[in-house]
Amino acid sequence: MNELPPDPSPDDPRQDPFARWRTATRARIGLGRAGDALPTAALLDFQAAHSRARDAVHGRVDFDAIAAQLAGTFAAPPLRVRSRAADRAVYLRRPDLGRRVHADDLPQLQAAAAGGAGFELAFVVADGLSAAAVNAHAAPLLAQLAPRLAGWRLAPVVLASQARVALGDEVAEALGARLVAVLIGERPGLSVADSLGIYLTYAPRVGCLDAARNCISNIHADGLGYARAADTLCWLLDEARRLRLTGVALKLDAPPASLGNSGTSITSGDIGSSSHE
Amino acid sequence: MALYQTRIGTRGYRFDDLKAVLACASPRRSGDELAGLAADNDEQRVAARRVLAELPLRHFLDEALVPYEDDEVTRLIVDTHDTAAFAPVADLTVGEFRDWLLSYDATGAALGALAPGLTPEMVAAVSKLMRNQDLIAVAAKCRVVTAFRTTLGLPGRLGSRLQPNHPTDDPMGIAASTLDGLLFGIGDAVIGINPASDSVPDTIRLLDMLDELRQRFEIPTQSCVLAHVTTSLRAIERGAPLDLVFQSIAGSEAANRGFGIDLAVLREGLAAARSLKRGTVGDNVMYFETGQGSALSADAHHGVDQQTMEVRAYAVARAFEPLLVNTVVGFIGPEYLYDAKQIIRAGLEDHCCGKLLGLPMGVDVCYTNHAEADQDDMDTLMTLLATAGVNFVIAVPGADDVMLSYQSLSYHDVLGLRHLTARRPAPEFEAWLARIGLLDANGALPPPARDARALRQLLALNG
């Protein structure tokens, strides 16, 4: 036997020359070789991770279950909207359609608009690119947020299917809400398929640029926890209300960690890397 | 004004302008549909190709797709066009040009001499008349050799970028992925990190670390931190050991502005990197990445189809004598290239068009999790590209980039491809692999024995 074992023990340095290196990275190093190819176990590990990511992209959010979970959290029942993308295949090809509310679903939003001073904040739960993230994290996160927002005039939660971040702009415009927070499934990677993001926009309207938003990303079991994410969002909400803006200017003096700006990142080499929504 | 019209059977087709002809002649892809530029149906697509086939190549010198006055990329293309080099094909139509490219007259030497005479629009146009097999056959005849510490693009060679990305730029994590790749013979084109942070101190820290690694093991290769060109300039000012200046580029002035660059800052980058004189066998010091859809995503495509805009980016690249250029073909997402069929086609187009313009073209054979593609499709594309003579491909541990969350080729894939297609690493790097004992008598790289010297030496590195 003069090849590396196909399934090296990660713990014993005598068995695994990569043992000390594995703790430094999640990268798939020291996989061994079957000839020039991946050993079977590593091959199937990869396929399992890819299948979870694919299933997250193509899965369905169980909005009925989320509505039921929210019943104890918010007084007003949630509203349901569709985007103009008829199905997942269209959604993936046509981001422009995923950013707009289906024409038939706008009147109910307009009917729900508050009179007088209007709503201060609307939550939109959007499927985005990971049904798994929304199914797992949307309701528990909102349950953490609700008690922190006692003084806020909240619009009914809107549950949106085949939706991208910018769909929240049109929803908030129809509801007459000053701020919109979109909870959305992020593009899955091989290591995490159920990561949720929150995009916050002040004075949302159709055509808002991404640079005008703030983003909290990486909410999942091994990432940002619900309580921390809720605290961060509440800090951003207070600042957004005080400064009357979101986006780059709000980021500048942001103290909490985990804050990011969703403006198109063009500085880190490869192009298109901001398309996490 | 030219009339762009033809008949297929009893139906007449008419196109408003040259942009419409090119866009409708493109193979179907989601980005052109998103932009509202694609053909309405397959017959219209072929009609556009018929119109295109009968257009004189010269016509592209007369009608600019993006106005000369508005766009410095157009000005670069027009002002640097080499009329003498163009002469051998000056009287051909686009269709005749395809036939000539495939003919025995179009040798590697002839194609190399022709490159400065071609504009990106001519090259994009002819590629739309070519099948995948044509794109492979023509690219395989082109030879573009560049050098820094290794010589890339030589016959019988296949280069590789080792991409040891880490989500927090952890030095031990990056070293782990790098050492693993070296044991597969990866990294002769470059060891190149996409940094999580674009700050100047972080960039310098990574450059120092890669340079120390390279010197400790005396590896004849070049390293690169793929930071913004302005970050690299600051790093050079502060004395960082920088081999290559990287930048993402696109095919219009406005799209480049979206990347925060113009031609002037690229010239600064070139001059600064050259001034360091760090290359040993050549002084190609620039590394560019491109990708179909980048102009549209910046809303800077001027109503031009994404493949033509991509080839215009190559005109930017060739002005800077780069060591490496690669398209990140499947990275940008399904709204531009929907599935494996579109990604494979685009990878072959980008490679062939880059080579025709004289670029040392590589490809990041890759896809995202929301595209209709998987590793089987990457197997297909990498094998086609090796046959087409691609200068280099990109590899990450186990095909999984844990920083950018997409899939490229694995170290295994590239090693297997080299053995399968009898293509070796760059000669300087190959000699190093032999020195540290990783190559067998036939020049192949078998699985190292547990007690192999290279394994012991490399993995004993103290982070």
Side-chain angles (χ1 to χ4, degrees), chain A residues 1-5 8 13-18 20-39 42 46-47 49-50 53-54 57-58 88-97 99 129 164 187-192 264-277, chain B residues 28 30 33-34 166-167 170 172-173 175-177 179-180 183-184 194-195 198 226-228 246 248 258-260 289-291 294 328 331-332 334-335 338 342 367-375 397-400 402 404-407 412-413 415-416 419 445-450 455 458-463:
Chain A
M1 177 82 185
N2 68 351
E3 296 190 11
L4 295 179
R14 288 166 307 172
Q15 289 299 314
D16 175 16
F18 285 90
R20 56 193 289 264
W21 296 99
R22 290 185 203 280
T23 54
T25 183
R26 285 202 316 258
R28 292 165 196 263
I29 58 167
L31 298 177
R33 285 169 58 174
D36 294 336
L38 284 174
F46 180 98
Q47 290 181 2
H50 187 233
R54 298 275 303 160
V57 170
H58 293 277
R88 193 81 321 203
V90 174
Y91 176 85
L92 291 171
R93 275 178 221 261
R94 294 289 304 272
D96 53 328
L97 298 180
R99 296 184 185 119
L129 285 170
R164 301 210 176 234
R187 177 160 67 84
L190 291 195
S191 36
V192 183
T264 309
S265 169
I266 52 162
T267 52
S268 59
D270 286 300
I271 54 178
S273 57
S274 67
S275 60
H276 283 288
E277 55 151 314
Chain B
R28 185 180 174 195
S30 49
E33 292 172 334
L34 176 63
H166 188 278
D170 177 73
M172 276 288 280
S177 292
L179 298 169
D180 192 29
L183 291 167
F184 284 80
N194 298 89
D198 195 82
L226 282 73
H228 194 262
F246 169 81
S248 291
F259 284 132
E289 281 191 340
T290 66
S294 59
V328 292
F331 184 76
I332 193 154
E335 62 267 45
Y338 183 67
Q342 296 187 6
Y367 63 101
T368 58
N369 286 319
H370 58 325
E372 292 296 315
D374 61 21
Q375 294 303 122
D400 173 9
V402 295
L404 294 170
S405 289
Y406 78 120
Q407 284 84 251
H412 298 72
D413 292 332
L415 181 68
H419 289 160
L445 199 160
R450 172 164 311 290
L455 200 64
L458 290 175
L459 295 185
L461 174 74
N462 289 312

Side-chain angles (χ1 to χ4, degrees), chain A residues 11 21 31 50 53 69 90 96 110-111 125 138 144 180 182 214 230 233-234 242 254:
Chain A
D11 303 322
W21 296 99
L31 298 177
H50 187 233
Q69 288 172 277
V90 174
D96 53 328
Q110 288 153 348
V125 176
Q144 288 275 335
V180 63
V182 178
N214 292 95
L233 180 64
C234 289
R242 183 172 70 82

Side-chain angles (χ1 to χ4, degrees), chain B residues 343-354:
Chain B
I343 291 171
I344 289 168
R345 168 77 196 182
L348 296 174
E349 283 169 354
D350 293 353
H351 175 249
C352 181
C353 291

Side-chain angles (χ1 to χ4, degrees), chain A residues 186 196-198 214-219 224 229 232-233 236 258-259:
Chain A
E186 298 184 310
L196 192 78
I198 309 174
N214 292 95
C215 169
I216 302 168
S217 67
N218 239 6
I219 301 167
L224 192 62
T232 306
L233 180 64
L236 274 175
S258 81
L259 292 193

